[in-house]
Amino acid sequence: MPGQVHDTYVAAIQHDLVDLPEDARRIGVVRRPTSWFHGAVDENVPALGPPEALLEDAKQREEDLKLQGICDDDAQNLAWDEVDFAERYRDFLETPDGAAAVDELVERLEDGTDVVLVCFENTAKKRCHRTILREVLADRLA
């Protein structure tokens, strides 16, 4: 039986705001982890984070929207749409680096390992690539 995929954000782990299976492997999926991020995860796989160019495009557009008076959360969500974040991230996951990282994660899940995808965004307020990665994994395991 394949393992299950869970996801959360690092602050939820640090502040004990999330109930996760004890034996689940906490896998960071960020391109640029901070030093304190590593303490909340078992490992980080940068190849599962959005590529630098996409992160930069989204951040720049978000900053532009904030300068126009749009609040932080709304600016991030609008920027996602305007830079085609979801489509570009899915495309990235099909590149050799992205696909290899997804393949490795699928192998772990097929071996019965539960995994928790971890990054910075609280998806109650902001969109996050974790949701796209979960969909890709679900499609692969179906």
Side-chain angles (χ1 to χ4, degrees):
M1 174 174 244
Q4 294 184 347
V5 179
H6 308 269
D7 74 280
T8 191
Y9 58 108
V10 68
I13 293 172
Q14 293 169 325
H15 299 288
D16 202 25
L17 301 174
V18 62
D19 186 27
L20 300 171
E22 285 186 35
D23 60 342
R25 185 95 177 141
R26 296 175 184 182
I27 300 176
V29 293
V30 299
R31 184 70 51 177
R32 296 177 259 174
T34 60
S35 58
W36 47 266
F37 183 87
H38 292 288
V41 298
D42 297 310
E43 66 183 287
N44 184 56
V45 181
L48 292 172
E52 287 293 336
L54 178 53
L55 290 171
E56 289 171 16
D57 288 351
K59 193 63 169 168
Q60 181 59 56
R61 186 62 191 133
E62 180 180 348
E63 292 304 315
D64 293 345
L65 290 165
K66 286 179 190 177
L67 289 174
Q68 295 173 24
I70 297 174
C71 75
D72 289 355
D73 295 343
D74 289 344
Q76 191 263 4
N77 292 331
L78 285 170
W80 253 59
D81 291 337
E82 292 184 15
V83 301
D84 296 322
F85 196 101
E87 182 179 335
R88 290 172 64 188
Y89 181 61
R90 282 183 183 280
D91 289 346
F92 165 73
L93 292 177
E94 294 177 7
T95 66
D97 288 343
V102 169
D103 289 346
E104 185 177 314
L105 202 50
V106 167
E107 286 178 24
R108 290 182 189 198
L109 289 161
E110 287 175 338
D111 288 342
T113 302
D114 289 343
V115 300
V116 180
L117 307 174
V118 182
C119 77
F120 297 110
E121 301 297 344
N122 176 349
T123 55
K125 298 179 180 182
K126 295 182 178 181
R127 295 162 86 180
C128 179
H129 72 285
R130 291 189 324 259
T131 57
I132 297 166
L133 182 54
R134 280 188 74 159
E135 291 170 4
V136 168
L137 293 170
D139 290 347
R140 289 281 305 274
L141 294 168

